[in-house]
Amino acid sequence: MKQNLWWAAGYNLASVPLAAGVLAPVGFVLPMSVGPILKSVSTVVVALDAQLLRRLDLTPARSTARLAGADTTECGARAAV
């Protein structure tokens, strides 16, 4: 989620000034039709990145065990013998 937040913030920090014409004096003008296309691409990138979160197991026991470096196959508990 943090990665999506940084992506969206970085995109907006770069694209909003370009769309406003900050680089127009240098000769770079962003056509009006490109803005919505870039915004759609950004939305798709954020949505695809969010789908990658489905691969993560975010249950508290496994997350804690992963951070502690323990074996995650038993969720931090010993198997009964």
Side-chain angles (χ1 to χ4, degrees), residues 4-19 30 34-43 46:
N4 283 339
L5 179 64
W6 283 109
W7 167 258
Y11 165 81
N12 286 322
L13 285 173
S15 64
V16 171
L18 287 176
L30 190 68
V34 175
I37 293 170
L38 291 177
K39 188 63 175 175
S40 296
V41 169
S42 173
T43 302
V46 169

Side-chain angles (χ1 to χ4, degrees), residues 19-32:
V22 170
L23 296 179
V26 191
F28 181 78
V29 179
L30 190 68
M32 289 175 39

Side-chain angles (χ1 to χ4, degrees), residues 10-81:
Y11 165 81
N12 286 322
L13 285 173
S15 64
V16 171
L18 287 176
V22 170
L23 296 179
V26 191
F28 181 78
V29 179
L30 190 68
M32 289 175 39
S33 61
V34 175
I37 293 170
L38 291 177
K39 188 63 175 175
S40 296
V41 169
S42 173
T43 302
V44 169
V45 168
V46 169
L48 289 175
D49 194 35
Q51 291 299 315
L52 291 176
L53 288 174
R54 290 181 178 216
R55 295 182 182 180
L56 295 177
D57 186 7
L58 299 176
T59 55
R62 291 196 181 228
S63 297
T64 305
R66 191 179 315 120
L67 290 174
D71 183 19
T72 59
T73 59
E74 299 176 4
C75 295
R78 294 281 179 201
V81 183

